[in-house]
Amino acid sequence: MTSGAGGFQVVQEELHGAVRELPNQAKVLDDTRQALVARQVPASAFANVDASAQAGAAHARTVEDNARALAASRAELDRIISEMRGTAATVRDWDKAKADQQVAQGADRIQAGGDGSAGDGSAGRPTPAMLNEANRQKVADARDQERQVLDELRQGMSLHHQGSEADRARAIADSEQRIQVYDHLLAGDAKILRFDPAGDGRIVTAVGELNADTRNVAVFMPGADNSMNTYPYQEEMARTFVDRGDAAGGITSVVWMDGSFPPVRDPGSLRPLHLDGLMLTSAEQLGADVRQFVNTELRPMVGADTRVSVIAHSYAGAALGFADRAGLNADAAYYLAVPGIGIPDPANLSNDYGTVRYATVAPNDPVGLFQGGWFHGASPADIPGVVVLDAGRDRENNVVSMWDVHNSMYDPGSESWVNVYNVITNWPDVTATP
């Protein structure tokens, strides 16, 4: 990071290294002070005469003065660490702003008639390749920051953690997992269309190409209990359709996790359920966001004849319902094992795009108990004109147990996976094995 004349220059590696190392020095001061005050010389060590008593008092004052000086040094070091962390955060924010500026400049080049083009050549939009390049830099920066957080957690000096040792252990495991996700993203070939590491993290990626020649795009919205740390599983699932589509059908999968997918279970709590995962706290905003993405960002990247399907699993069904009602420019909206469509009246699902709706829930899926209830709105099976497809059998045609069936919808070769594939590719007989 550099500034203009009369400004300043920061060597980021050295700055972040100092921020990681200084807490170690603070620990040295703490250990020294603890050793100093822990081994006081007892009064009995001094003879019961005035001179000895004076020597004992002088020793005690010396220990106290040194302990006070060490405490003052520790406080001053804490102040320095805090200021350096602030500087490091400023540097990271500056880098993020520069990455965003690169994307904006790419759009400016397109508007000015430069050599960039997006999808079918629509002017004024950065291409997937441009977005991917800028967001990969953001991922690399976020990985550096998370490594710093992890170092602080391991040293017990982190401002990111307040709580018990069990809480700290969970925070360490979470940080380690987040770094693994960033490593995965940087090593992989998925195009990163959006990225934000804040909180639970937000990300949108494309596995495959997005351009005027793209035949089929599947936008996958995961259910509750998902965050940046679960992204690799979502990508792996999405790839199963791309791999099959490369052989027959041509599919690009988009993993859309650009929002809050609330927890159902509350980690570290005696409460087995988290209300955010049962209510529609996040679903309406998710619906508005995915509609904006599909209608104003994804569609201009691909051709006019590209088939776009949006598949929502579990909790995301309510978000898809909100998006669908507002006018989602999708050829297919698939409500896959969802507890409801968010809105109470399924007759309100109509738009100008000719969207065909599909719904699936296995007979033994516990989520069926919630359908049509107060929490998540109407059942997708009640949508006028909906195509209801079967689920619940694995690739060997065995019935999946009620404990596993809800999370088995994307198991390759299963009854539900085949139906999802056929919806994506608009297979003439949607229930047939392609």
Side-chain angles (χ1 to χ4, degrees), residues 39-46 56 59:
R39 300 187 63 184
Q40 296 279 359
V41 178
S44 59
F46 300 94
H59 173 77

Side-chain angles (χ1 to χ4, degrees), residues 362-420:
N364 61 341
D365 188 340
V367 80
L369 299 174
F370 292 90
Q371 288 190 333
W374 180 74
F375 285 113
H376 286 268
S379 168
D382 295 330
I383 300 172
V386 68
V387 179
V388 178
L389 301 174
D390 294 333
R393 292 184 176 273
D394 63 19
R395 65 187 307 156
E396 305 298 332
N397 204 34
N398 299 312
V399 175
V400 183
S401 76
M402 66 175 293
W403 308 111
D404 300 322
V405 68
H406 184 68
N407 290 322
S408 72
M409 293 294 102
Y410 293 125
D411 286 359
S414 66
E415 186 175 32
S416 56
W417 185 95
V418 169
N419 285 334
V420 171

Side-chain angles (χ1 to χ4, degrees), residues 41-52:
V41 178
S44 59
F46 300 94
N48 191 22
V49 296
D50 289 344
S52 295

Side-chain angles (χ1 to χ4, degrees), residues 61-96:
R61 285 195 300 271
T62 299
V63 170
E64 183 178 351
D65 290 345
N66 287 335
R68 189 180 297 111
L70 286 168
S73 298
R74 170 58 194 272
E76 175 64 13
L77 186 56
D78 285 344
R79 184 190 65 80
I80 294 172
I81 292 173
S82 178
E83 291 183 356
M84 292 189 70
R85 283 173 174 161
T87 301
T90 300
V91 171
R92 287 192 297 268
D93 290 344
W94 187 88
D95 284 343
K96 181 179 182 296

